[in-house]
Amino acid sequence: MPNQPRRSRLVVPSRSEHAIHLFLAALTLFAIGANAAEVIPPTPSAYFNDYANVVSKEAASRFNEQLAQFERETSDQVVVAVFPKMQSDSDIADYTQRVAQAWGVGQKERRNGVVLFVFVQDRKMFIQVGYGLEGALPDATAFDITERHIKPLFRAGNYEAGLATGIDLICKAIRGEYKGSGKTVAERKSGGAVTGLLPFIIFVIVLIILSRLFRKLGGYGYSSRGGGPVFIPSSGGWSSDGGSGGGFSGFGGGGGSFGGGGAGSSW
């Protein structure tokens, strides 16, 4: 009996499998859309950052110097960022944690950073607390600061007083956790650059002394009048990262990390 040709079997997915595939595709598209809609702002150059222009320049400068001095005294970094609105569709707690982590507020080994986020148009705020300060500034305290002290002032439209109150209470809550080095992270980095130039400067001084000595003895040496090289250290290595602009103290993140500690409020 001749062999009958085999018929190919067409595998048709079941309704349940088809539904699963559609769900996974929709979930992928949702994740892509969520990531595309989110923006992580660049690391700020100051401790107090008013991107929404809700306080005067004088107040912003005063807050910035207050927070810089706080780091000098305690080594804890507190940063304030006031934005017009959130640039993410995520929950404010999740979004601000990612931003604070990206900025690296606080020292890497102590993880002692805090960031107060304010989104004016969304009427939301959140205090993100680094791992190392969750004992000094627990969620309940962070919520108390935003809900009972900052919120009433924001509702009245007095952002300057609300921010001043929030900064004072955050600093009071964490003060005394660690004795400071007397310098901010930015100032320590600048000091390291100057220290690195010290051997070069000593070398130049010795070279100049030897050159003059050789000229007096009739030997060979470098002479600026004869077109010899003149070594002048670059001024860029001497300036502080945040020292420009009339004593402005710049912020420099130390690689701190955040695990979701903190709380916030809406007004």
Side-chain angles (χ1 to χ4, degrees):
M1 186 174 180
N3 294 329
Q4 297 291 332
R6 293 184 177 180
R7 295 182 180 180
S8 60
R9 296 177 61 188
L10 180 63
V11 178
V12 180
S14 64
R15 290 185 178 181
S16 60
E17 291 176 336
H18 186 64
I20 292 172
H21 291 160
L22 288 177
F23 173 76
L24 291 175
L27 188 62
T28 302
L29 291 174
F30 175 78
I32 294 174
N35 290 333
E38 182 168 293
V39 175
I40 301 295
T43 304
S45 59
Y47 294 87
F48 183 85
N49 307 273
D50 181 14
Y51 303 109
N53 298 318
V54 296
V55 302
S56 65
K57 291 183 179 180
E58 293 76 15
S61 178
R62 185 173 69 253
F63 293 151
N64 189 74
E65 292 306 312
Q66 177 184 352
L67 295 173
Q69 184 61 27
F70 181 75
E71 183 188 349
R72 295 185 186 104
E73 295 174 356
T74 67
S75 287
D76 301 322
Q77 288 189 334
V78 178
V79 172
V80 178
V82 184
F83 293 98
K85 64 179 300 181
M86 281 181 55
Q87 299 187 71
S88 173
D89 295 328
S90 301
D91 176 74
I92 185 172
D94 296 335
Y95 176 60
T96 54
Q97 180 188 352
R98 288 192 290 273
V99 176
Q101 183 72 28
W103 289 356
V105 181
Q107 298 173 352
K108 184 176 182 180
E109 64 278 11
R110 296 186 177 275
R111 302 182 290 186
N112 54 344
V114 173
V115 187
L116 169 59
F117 291 94
V118 177
F119 302 97
V120 177
Q121 295 178 22
D122 300 312
R123 305 181 74 84
K124 295 179 180 180
M125 58 180 150
F126 201 95
I127 299 175
Q128 279 290 341
V129 182
Y131 283 110
L133 290 177
E134 290 181 354
L137 188 58
D139 296 356
T141 302
F143 179 75
D144 180 77
I145 292 172
T146 60
E147 184 71 17
R148 295 185 58 243
H149 298 278
I150 302 178
K151 179 177 178 176
L153 294 168
F154 278 8
R155 276 189 169 180
N158 195 342
Y159 289 100
E160 185 171 321
L163 290 165
T165 299
I167 291 171
D168 287 339
L169 292 177
I170 289 172
C171 292
K172 286 180 179 179
I174 63 179
R175 184 172 291 278
E177 286 293 302
Y178 173 67
K179 185 177 180 181
S181 63
K183 293 183 179 180
T184 67
V185 169
E187 289 168 348
R188 287 199 299 273
K189 290 178 180 178
S190 175
V194 174
T195 304
L197 281 174
L198 187 59
F200 176 75
I201 296 170
I202 294 174
F203 170 75
V204 172
I205 294 173
V206 172
L207 184 64
I208 293 172
I209 293 172
L210 290 176
S211 176
R212 292 179 178 178
L213 182 61
F214 276 121
R215 286 204 304 272
K216 288 181 179 181
L217 296 176
Y220 298 97
Y222 289 102
S223 171
S224 59
R225 286 179 290 180
V230 178
F231 296 94
I232 302 177
S234 171
S235 62
W238 294 87
S239 62
S240 171
D241 292 340
S244 60
F248 173 81
S249 297
F251 163 73
S257 55
F258 293 76
S265 301
S266 300
W267 73 91

PDB file of all heavy atoms in Angstrom, residues 52-64:
ATOM      1  N   ALA A  52      11.924  76.645  40.481  1.00  0.00           N
ATOM      2  CA  ALA A  52      10.571  77.175  40.269  1.00  0.00           C
ATOM      3  C   ALA A  52      10.478  78.658  40.615  1.00  0.00           C
ATOM      4  O   ALA A  52       9.409  79.260  40.460  1.00  0.00           O
ATOM      5  CB  ALA A  52       9.564  76.382  41.096  1.00  0.00           C
ATOM      6  N   ASN A  53      11.570  79.243  41.096  1.00  0.00           N
ATOM      7  CA  ASN A  53      11.610  80.676  41.429  1.00  0.00           C
ATOM      8  C   ASN A  53      10.519  81.076  42.425  1.00  0.00           C
ATOM      9  O   ASN A  53       9.765  82.022  42.202  1.00  0.00           O
ATOM     10  CB  ASN A  53      11.492  81.530  40.152  1.00  0.00           C
ATOM     11  CG  ASN A  53      12.641  81.305  39.193  1.00  0.00           C
ATOM     12  OD1 ASN A  53      13.797  81.213  39.598  1.00  0.00           O
ATOM     13  ND2 ASN A  53      12.328  81.201  37.905  1.00  0.00           N
ATOM     14  N   VAL A  54      10.473  80.361  43.542  1.00  0.00           N
ATOM     15  CA  VAL A  54       9.459  80.665  44.557  1.00  0.00           C
ATOM     16  C   VAL A  54      10.011  81.504  45.704  1.00  0.00           C
ATOM     17  O   VAL A  54       9.248  81.981  46.545  1.00  0.00           O
ATOM     18  CB  VAL A  54       8.819  79.370  45.110  1.00  0.00           C
ATOM     19  CG1 VAL A  54       8.063  78.630  44.018  1.00  0.00           C
ATOM     20  CG2 VAL A  54       9.874  78.479  45.757  1.00  0.00           C
ATOM     21  N   VAL A  55      11.348  81.657  45.775  1.00  0.00           N
ATOM     22  CA  VAL A  55      11.941  82.487  46.832  1.00  0.00           C
ATOM     23  C   VAL A  55      12.877  83.506  46.191  1.00  0.00           C
ATOM     24  O   VAL A  55      13.276  83.371  45.029  1.00  0.00           O
ATOM     25  CB  VAL A  55      12.728  81.637  47.867  1.00  0.00           C
ATOM     26  CG1 VAL A  55      11.827  80.590  48.499  1.00  0.00           C
ATOM     27  CG2 VAL A  55      13.946  80.984  47.229  1.00  0.00           C
ATOM     28  N   SER A  56      13.230  84.520  46.945  1.00  0.00           N
ATOM     29  CA  SER A  56      14.129  85.556  46.443  1.00  0.00           C
ATOM     30  C   SER A  56      15.553  85.012  46.338  1.00  0.00           C
ATOM     31  O   SER A  56      15.903  84.002  46.956  1.00  0.00           O
ATOM     32  CB  SER A  56      14.113  86.766  47.376  1.00  0.00           C
ATOM     33  OG  SER A  56      14.649  86.419  48.650  1.00  0.00           O
ATOM     34  N   LYS A  57      16.389  85.700  45.548  1.00  0.00           N
ATOM     35  CA  LYS A  57      17.785  85.292  45.409  1.00  0.00           C
ATOM     36  C   LYS A  57      18.520  85.406  46.735  1.00  0.00           C
ATOM     37  O   LYS A  57      19.404  84.604  47.041  1.00  0.00           O
ATOM     38  CB  LYS A  57      18.474  86.137  44.339  1.00  0.00           C
ATOM     39  CG  LYS A  57      17.974  85.867  42.927  1.00  0.00           C
ATOM     40  CD  LYS A  57      18.745  86.690  41.906  1.00  0.00           C
ATOM     41  CE  LYS A  57      18.270  86.393  40.484  1.00  0.00           C
ATOM     42  NZ  LYS A  57      19.017  87.206  39.480  1.00  0.00           N
ATOM     43  N   GLU A  58      18.169  86.421  47.508  1.00  0.00           N
ATOM     44  CA  GLU A  58      18.802  86.591  48.814  1.00  0.00           C
ATOM     45  C   GLU A  58      18.487  85.408  49.737  1.00  0.00           C
ATOM     46  O   GLU A  58      19.374  84.894  50.426  1.00  0.00           O
ATOM     47  CB  GLU A  58      18.337  87.892  49.458  1.00  0.00           C
ATOM     48  CG  GLU A  58      18.801  89.159  48.762  1.00  0.00           C
ATOM     49  CD  GLU A  58      18.020  89.455  47.483  1.00  0.00           C
ATOM     50  OE1 GLU A  58      16.940  88.841  47.294  1.00  0.00           O
ATOM     51  OE2 GLU A  58      18.490  90.297  46.686  1.00  0.00           O
ATOM     52  N   ALA A  59      17.221  84.986  49.733  1.00  0.00           N
ATOM     53  CA  ALA A  59      16.829  83.850  50.568  1.00  0.00           C
ATOM     54  C   ALA A  59      17.503  82.567  50.091  1.00  0.00           C
ATOM     55  O   ALA A  59      17.968  81.757  50.900  1.00  0.00           O
ATOM     56  CB  ALA A  59      15.319  83.692  50.564  1.00  0.00           C
ATOM     57  N   ALA A  60      17.571  82.387  48.759  1.00  0.00           N
ATOM     58  CA  ALA A  60      18.210  81.190  48.214  1.00  0.00           C
ATOM     59  C   ALA A  60      19.679  81.136  48.617  1.00  0.00           C
ATOM     60  O   ALA A  60      20.194  80.074  48.995  1.00  0.00           O
ATOM     61  CB  ALA A  60      18.074  81.178  46.696  1.00  0.00           C
ATOM     62  N   SER A  61      20.369  82.271  48.547  1.00  0.00           N
ATOM     63  CA  SER A  61      21.774  82.317  48.940  1.00  0.00           C
ATOM     64  C   SER A  61      21.936  82.029  50.432  1.00  0.00           C
ATOM     65  O   SER A  61      22.851  81.308  50.850  1.00  0.00           O
ATOM     66  CB  SER A  61      22.361  83.690  48.608  1.00  0.00           C
ATOM     67  OG  SER A  61      23.698  83.793  49.019  1.00  0.00           O
ATOM     68  N   ARG A  62      21.027  82.562  51.238  1.00  0.00           N
ATOM     69  CA  ARG A  62      21.086  82.343  52.680  1.00  0.00           C
ATOM     70  C   ARG A  62      20.872  80.860  53.025  1.00  0.00           C
ATOM     71  O   ARG A  62      21.597  80.289  53.848  1.00  0.00           O
ATOM     72  CB  ARG A  62      20.031  83.198  53.375  1.00  0.00           C
ATOM     73  CG  ARG A  62      20.090  83.138  54.898  1.00  0.00           C
ATOM     74  CD  ARG A  62      19.137  84.124  55.536  1.00  0.00           C
ATOM     75  NE  ARG A  62      17.739  83.792  55.346  1.00  0.00           N
ATOM     76  CZ  ARG A  62      16.910  84.431  54.522  1.00  0.00           C
ATOM     77  NH1 ARG A  62      17.349  85.456  53.802  1.00  0.00           N
ATOM     78  NH2 ARG A  62      15.639  84.061  54.404  1.00  0.00           N
ATOM     79  N   PHE A  63      19.879  80.240  52.378  1.00  0.00           N
ATOM     80  CA  PHE A  63      19.625  78.819  52.614  1.00  0.00           C
ATOM     81  C   PHE A  63      20.827  77.977  52.181  1.00  0.00           C
ATOM     82  O   PHE A  63      21.204  77.009  52.851  1.00  0.00           O
ATOM     83  CB  PHE A  63      18.383  78.359  51.854  1.00  0.00           C
ATOM     84  CG  PHE A  63      17.097  78.959  52.354  1.00  0.00           C
ATOM     85  CD1 PHE A  63      16.022  79.157  51.489  1.00  0.00           C
ATOM     86  CD2 PHE A  63      16.941  79.325  53.673  1.00  0.00           C
ATOM     87  CE1 PHE A  63      14.832  79.704  51.948  1.00  0.00           C
ATOM     88  CE2 PHE A  63      15.764  79.874  54.143  1.00  0.00           C
ATOM     89  CZ  PHE A  63      14.706  80.065  53.276  1.00  0.00           C
ATOM     90  N   ASN A  64      21.420  78.328  51.053  1.00  0.00           N
ATOM     91  CA  ASN A  64      22.550  77.565  50.534  1.00  0.00           C
ATOM     92  C   ASN A  64      23.729  77.598  51.507  1.00  0.00           C
ATOM     93  O   ASN A  64      24.345  76.561  51.795  1.00  0.00           O
ATOM     94  CB  ASN A  64      22.977  78.126  49.176  1.00  0.00           C
ATOM     95  CG  ASN A  64      24.007  77.243  48.492  1.00  0.00           C
ATOM     96  OD1 ASN A  64      23.685  76.178  47.977  1.00  0.00           O
ATOM     97  ND2 ASN A  64      25.264  77.676  48.483  1.00  0.00           N
TER      98      ASN A  64
END
